[in-house]
Amino acid sequence: MKKKVAIIGAGQVAEKVHVSYYQTREELELAAVVGPNPERVKDFAERNGIPQYFTNAEEMHAAVKPDIVSVCTPNRFHCENVLLAIAHGCDVICEKPPAISAAEAKQMRDAAEANGCLLAYDFHHRFADDVTILHDKVKEGILGDVYVTKVKALRRCGIPGWGSFTDKEVQGGGPLIDLGAHMLDAALYVLGFPKIKRVSAKMYQKIGTKKSKGTLGEWDPNKYEVEDSLFGFIELEGGGLIQLETSFALNIKDTSIMNVEFCGDEAGATLFPAQIYTDEGGELVYLLDRKTADADRHPKSMEAFVDRCLGKDVMVADGRQGYVIQQLIEALYQSAEKGESVTL
Ligand SMILES: NC(=O)c1ccc[n+]([C@@H]2O[C@H](COP(=O)([O-])OP(=O)(O)OC[C@H]3O[C@@H](n4cnc5c(N)ncnc54)[C@H](O)[C@@H]3O)[C@@H](O)[C@H]2O)c1
């Protein structure tokens, strides 16, 4: 019998990523979608051939009894919808970031473990072949001791012009929680999730409140509530350092940079595309030289989740790792707000 899937949050990521992937799997049946606006959720269902639509998630669970749930709402509603789905015994994939606080991410992790449900987060960048390759090379010790990692999740003028990405209460923050979360996850995954000791950060709100138009549409500068850039230092147990740069808007040359560099005492590496290099007598020598980065990350993230739901032993970005990322994000925001370092 096919597994029934329900989507909570009928927005762009639900349609482009979740629905379009589920439609490729014959083991699944897209059964229902939930959204707050009756007309928009009806349109979404009709456009995507989904037989049932609801404006209330409780009613959907009672009527449809799905096996699998995708939570694609704005960040503030992730936790309540994940907990509800888990209470109904569903396996869940939740969009990133896990939640808007570490306490919520912990509750979500604990509920999944207590109920024996799968909880995965759509940290899709870690599913690129480039990440798999570097993860294995770091583990083999090709880079030696990786003591400095540089994480960049930067946009020049890329404040999202849709959704609620500039609303602090609904999203929990700006580029750190939205973009930085992705590259922090990819970096920590490659490094094997080392223990974090202390963080310090500084954030700015310099452009979002002044301008109103960018590469990703228009926003209201009077309602721009989140940071537009944040910079941080993350000290690891054992002496390593992660340097973080993240922005929605920052006067840099590139439109967008989403990448991680790893500096070891034997070799260095860049994540997208995966390249490993070292210095021989002052000359740069490549040990690995991929020319293009794997762009198929989203379908691979969805594939891993569905395969796990169907019993395959594959890697997903799980509830425990989601909690670690959320703790880190919260500590970075706390540090930036207080102007002092935060020990984890
Ligand atoms: N993995 C990625 O790369 C990626 C990309 C884009 C967005 N996202 C994440 O996906 C989520 C949604 O982003 P989006 O770009 O699709 O935004 P969006 O605004 O297009 O969609 C969100 C949808 O959720 C609906 N919604 C709001 N409150 C709800 C509630 N309480 N219950 C059910 N539905 C509700 C809204 O009506 C809207 O249709 C965010 O958490 C975002 O961070 C992840």
Side-chain angles (χ1 to χ4, degrees), residues 2 6 9 29-31 36 86 91 93 97 102 108 110 140 163 169 190 206 251 274 278 298 331 337 340:
K2 292 189 180 198
E29 172 197 340
L30 254 174
I86 289 171
D91 289 328
I93 184 164
M108 292 151 86
D110 291 348
E140 280 168 37
E169 209 193 313
V190 168
K206 293 274 190 186
N251 281 314
T278 189
H298 249 138
E337 273 157 21
E340 56 192 45

Side-chain angles (χ1 to χ4, degrees), residues 10 32-33 39-54:
V33 56
E39 282 183 7
R40 280 173 43 195
V41 73
K42 179 173 183 275
D43 277 357
F44 187 100
E46 286 174 359
R47 212 167 47 240
N48 292 289
I50 302 173
Q52 298 194 71
Y53 54 89
F54 297 82

Side-chain angles (χ1 to χ4, degrees), residues 165-219:
F165 292 87
T166 59
D167 181 332
K168 190 158 185 204
E169 209 193 313
V170 175
Q171 287 300 111
L176 168 62
I177 200 164
D178 189 50
L179 306 175
H182 269 310
M183 288 299 110
L184 283 171
D185 175 72
L188 290 176
Y189 175 67
V190 168
L191 294 171
F193 274 85
K195 276 213 158 53
I196 295 154
K197 192 172 159 190
R198 191 168 38 224
V199 309
S200 56
K202 189 142 182 71
M203 64 181 168
Y204 298 91
Q205 196 190 57
K206 293 274 190 186
I207 297 174
T209 48
K210 275 203 304 213
K211 289 189 173 180
S212 61
K213 195 174 174 186
T215 53
L216 298 178
E218 296 185 27
W219 66 92

Side-chain angles (χ1 to χ4, degrees), residues 21-22 30 90 220 222 296 301 342:
Y21 181 77
Y22 289 134
L30 254 174
C90 303
D220 181 350
N222 296 316
D296 252 1
S301 166
V342 171

Side-chain angles (χ1 to χ4, degrees), residues 183-340:
M183 288 299 110
L184 283 171
D185 175 72
L188 290 176
Y189 175 67
V190 168
L191 294 171
F193 274 85
K195 276 213 158 53
I196 295 154
K197 192 172 159 190
R198 191 168 38 224
V199 309
S200 56
K202 189 142 182 71
M203 64 181 168
Y204 298 91
Q205 196 190 57
K206 293 274 190 186
I207 297 174
T209 48
K210 275 203 304 213
K211 289 189 173 180
S212 61
K213 195 174 174 186
T215 53
L216 298 178
E218 296 185 27
W219 66 92
D220 181 350
N222 296 316
K223 291 187 182 158
Y224 189 88
E225 295 171 356
V226 297
E227 84 277 7
D228 47 37
S229 60
L230 182 145
F231 306 87
F233 283 101
I234 300 160
E235 292 174 61
L236 305 175
E237 298 278 353
L241 174 73
I242 298 177
Q243 182 191 312
L244 170 74
E245 297 177 28
T246 178
S247 68
F248 275 163
L250 184 68
N251 281 314
I252 52 175
K253 267 199 322 197
D254 298 279
T255 312
S256 165
I257 305 172
M258 291 286 274
N259 217 334
V260 184
E261 280 174 86
F262 300 93
C263 305
D265 58 0
E266 295 290 336
T270 308
L271 197 50
F272 299 121
Q275 294 181 324
I276 303 178
Y277 32 80
T278 189
D279 184 274
E280 281 179 14
E283 296 291 325
L284 190 71
V285 176
Y286 281 89
L287 308 176
L288 172 77
D289 191 12
R290 276 169 67 88
K291 299 297 181 204
T292 50
D294 179 7
D296 252 1
R297 304 167 200 182
H298 249 138
K300 283 179 179 159
S301 166
M302 294 300 298
E303 180 182 32
F305 169 66
V306 172
D307 283 353
R308 269 287 281 272
C309 292
L310 298 173
K312 268 200 197 165
D313 185 17
V314 292
M315 180 275 286
V316 294
D318 63 21
R320 285 179 185 216
Q321 292 168 338
Y323 175 46
V324 172
I325 302 285
Q326 197 78 47
Q327 278 181 301
L328 181 53
I329 289 170
E330 187 165 287
L332 285 160
Y333 277 133
Q334 275 173 2
S335 168
E337 273 157 21
K338 287 185 189 163
E340 56 192 45

